[in-house]
Amino acid sequence: VIDLVSAISTTVVFFMVPVICYVKLYGWRRIPRYELVLCALLVAIGGVACVWGLIDAIKSLRTAVKNGHG
């Protein structure tokens, strides 16, 4: 269960929150287009990492429950 929480929280905290705060602080119109593209890319990478971590955590949880450790 901790794997599930950490998969979501770490990717959100390290990839998404800084980008969202940066865009909110400076505004969409004041940030150059190439930086907005990079911000979107970072959020997308964070989303993929989050999904990948969730899949791995669910597989580990299933294995632990199947083996009687959960």
Side-chain angles (χ1 to χ4, degrees):
V1 176
I2 292 176
D3 290 341
L4 290 171
V5 173
S6 66
I8 295 171
S9 63
T10 56
T11 55
V12 169
V13 167
F14 288 115
F15 285 102
M16 297 177 187
V17 170
V19 172
I20 292 169
C21 288
Y22 173 73
V23 172
K24 285 288 264 186
L25 283 172
Y26 289 100
W28 291 95
R29 297 177 197 267
R30 292 177 55 194
I31 299 174
R33 191 172 301 262
Y34 70 91
E35 284 188 20
L36 287 174
V37 170
L38 288 175
C39 288
L41 181 64
L42 279 174
V43 170
I45 289 171
V48 169
C50 185
V51 170
W52 194 357
L54 283 173
I55 290 170
D56 187 51
I58 291 171
K59 285 180 182 179
S60 297
L61 188 60
R62 280 186 183 172
T63 303
V65 169
K66 187 183 280 187
N67 293 335
H69 296 112

